[in-house]
Amino acid sequence: MIRIASFNVENLEEDLPLEPGQERRGPTFDERAAVLRPALERMRADIIAFQEVHGQERPGQPRDLLALKALLAPTSYADFTLVTTQTKSSQEPYDKRNLVVALRPDMVVEERIQINQDETPAPEYRRTIGVDEAAKPVRWERPLLCVKIRTPAGREIHILNVHFKSKLAVRDTDLMEDRFTWKSSAAWAEGFFLSSMKRVGAALEARVVIDGIFDADPNAAILIAGDFNALSDEVPVVAIRGRVEDTGNAALSGRVMLPLEDNVPSDKRFTLYHKGKGEMIDHILASRSMVQAFSHTEIHNEFLPDESIAFATDAKFPESDHAPVVAVFDEAVLSNGVA
């Protein structure tokens, strides 16, 4: 079996130095590691798509994924290969919210591509509530990480790691009293609209990338995994699925991407717990050639805290506020697709 996981580890960071007299807010790295490491071991994953991994610096050295490496060091993932998003200028990890694909050392990385509005140019928008004199480009905020790997049996798998914009309204200091207080409902609504544009736009670009892979190989094995900040029937995920019911074109049936969580009972099908309600916003979607080898999905949400209520902030939980999702595939069946 090959176990492929997606896990938003929620702002994974080292302990930052404190100013004199400053008190530490939230759990320490060691406190977080004490609960994250057992969660990782339980996944028994061969490949993990991580989201929200911060980068760290040391004097005279390039920025690196030091917190993630420290987290993994005493685990069964210590020797996994790490493929991360990078800045264009330095080719170092970003300081905040990197996407990382971790894979078994016997799997080969054949290609790494980072895409951010390279396939879909930024649309322009002029605020109706704001005071823009001219339209401005709308940026997705985070890139898409595409990693093509080869398994020991020779099967190529394209893994797309994503983290779409949250549903929080895009802030505008001119239209807000402070970071959390809008001056009018219409101003908030426009910020919410812009947030939706960013999320759906990133999903569109992901779908364009998927279609490009299918253009080169109609039987490609593709997985797209990550924090979509959307349910499976909401626009960002629906755009990526490409169902025949939506396109109206049966000739495109081979390009449909299937969410793999549907075999989990509906009352257990959630990765985020918000105000007493479970929401499935983290997904793994697979192409038909992957689904042929699909066995089942696991969602490890038993310890998931309600990030909205208990402390009125998610900063005090050592756990992530997202549950890991694990999709399990029959390696023998998957390997049958090797040319």
Side-chain angles (χ1 to χ4, degrees):
M1 293 292 184
I2 291 183
R3 297 172 62 87
I4 302 177
S6 179
F7 190 18
N8 182 333
V9 286
E10 192 196 0
N11 297 318
L12 184 67
E13 180 61 279
E14 293 182 315
D15 293 335
L16 300 176
L18 299 177
E19 300 292 335
Q22 181 183 5
E23 294 186 6
R24 187 173 300 282
R25 287 186 67 251
T28 64
F29 174 82
D30 287 342
E31 290 168 340
R32 295 208 67 199
V35 296
L36 288 174
R37 285 175 181 142
L40 289 167
E41 295 288 16
R42 180 187 176 192
M43 289 157 55
R44 305 188 305 282
D46 301 286
I47 302 170
I48 307 175
F50 286 109
Q51 300 88 45
E52 289 201 23
V53 177
H54 293 352
Q56 294 77 37
E57 298 181 14
R58 296 287 185 271
Q61 299 179 21
R63 188 184 299 127
D64 200 356
L65 303 174
L66 301 178
L68 180 62
K69 290 179 178 179
L71 178 69
L72 300 180
T75 74
S76 57
Y77 306 102
D79 59 352
F80 271 40
T81 303
L82 303 179
V83 184
T84 182
T85 45
Q86 299 173 343
T87 64
K88 289 184 178 180
S89 58
S90 65
Q91 264 121 54
E92 300 171 354
Y94 293 98
D95 58 341
K96 302 289 185 183
R97 296 184 177 86
N98 287 282
L99 302 171
V100 180
V101 174
L103 58 148
R104 270 182 4 213
D106 61 342
M107 295 181 173
V108 177
V109 177
E110 293 196 328
E111 187 175 49
R112 173 206 167 277
I113 302 174
Q114 181 172 308
I115 297 169
N116 193 359
Q117 294 179 308
D118 301 294
E119 300 293 334
T120 54
E124 294 188 342
Y125 177 76
R126 182 177 180 179
R127 293 178 300 168
T128 56
I129 309 303
V131 290
D132 293 338
E133 294 183 0
K136 297 179 180 179
V138 179
R139 304 292 180 188
W140 307 157
E141 296 189 5
R142 288 182 280 264
L144 165 70
L145 179 64
C146 309
V147 182
K148 182 169 72 171
I149 70 162
R150 184 179 294 275
T151 68
R155 181 61 163 168
E156 284 188 348
I157 304 175
H158 299 263
I159 300 172
L160 283 65
N161 191 355
V162 302
H163 184 187
F164 296 158
K165 172 74 176 69
S166 76
K167 294 181 180 179
L168 293 175
V170 174
R171 291 191 177 102
D172 187 323
T173 54
D174 292 336
L175 304 176
M176 301 180 73
E177 301 286 355
D178 55 44
R179 289 183 63 229
F180 305 103
T181 309
W182 290 85
K183 294 179 179 179
S184 74
S185 298
W188 167 84
E190 186 163 50
F192 190 64
F193 170 65
L194 283 167
S195 175
S196 300
M197 285 183 67
K198 290 171 178 281
R199 192 163 50 258
V200 176
L204 166 62
E205 184 157 51
R207 183 67 233 194
V208 170
V209 171
I210 290 169
D211 275 4
I213 296 171
F214 279 130
D215 287 343
D217 178 6
N219 296 312
I222 307 173
L223 287 177
I224 180 167
D227 179 359
F228 290 68
N229 273 306
L231 306 179
S232 63
D233 60 353
E234 292 184 302
V235 175
V237 182
V238 172
I240 289 171
R241 293 174 70 172
R243 296 174 299 186
V244 173
E245 302 95 304
D246 296 319
T247 65
N249 188 348
L252 298 177
S253 62
R255 297 183 173 217
V256 171
M257 298 293 292
L258 181 72
L260 298 181
E261 69 262 15
D262 287 350
N263 73 315
V264 177
S266 58
D267 62 331
K268 304 295 183 184
R269 197 185 307 155
F270 61 90
T271 58
L272 184 80
Y273 206 49
H274 184 76
K275 294 186 177 179
K277 179 183 177 182
E279 299 181 350
M280 187 76 196
I281 64 171
D282 303 83
H283 306 276
I284 300 176
L285 286 77
S287 63
R288 286 185 182 272
S289 61
M290 290 295 297
V291 173
Q292 289 175 353
F294 175 62
S295 170
H296 64 279
T297 292
E298 303 168 7
I299 304 172
H300 299 171
N301 54 20
E302 294 86 351
F303 289 104
L304 195 62
D306 190 324
E307 52 87 29
S308 63
I309 295 177
F311 298 100
T313 172
D314 57 9
K316 295 186 178 180
F317 291 108
E319 299 93 343
S320 171
D321 56 4
H322 291 252
V325 181
V326 184
V328 184
F329 301 86
D330 187 313
E331 189 167 6
V333 174
L334 192 61
S335 298
N336 287 339
V338 176

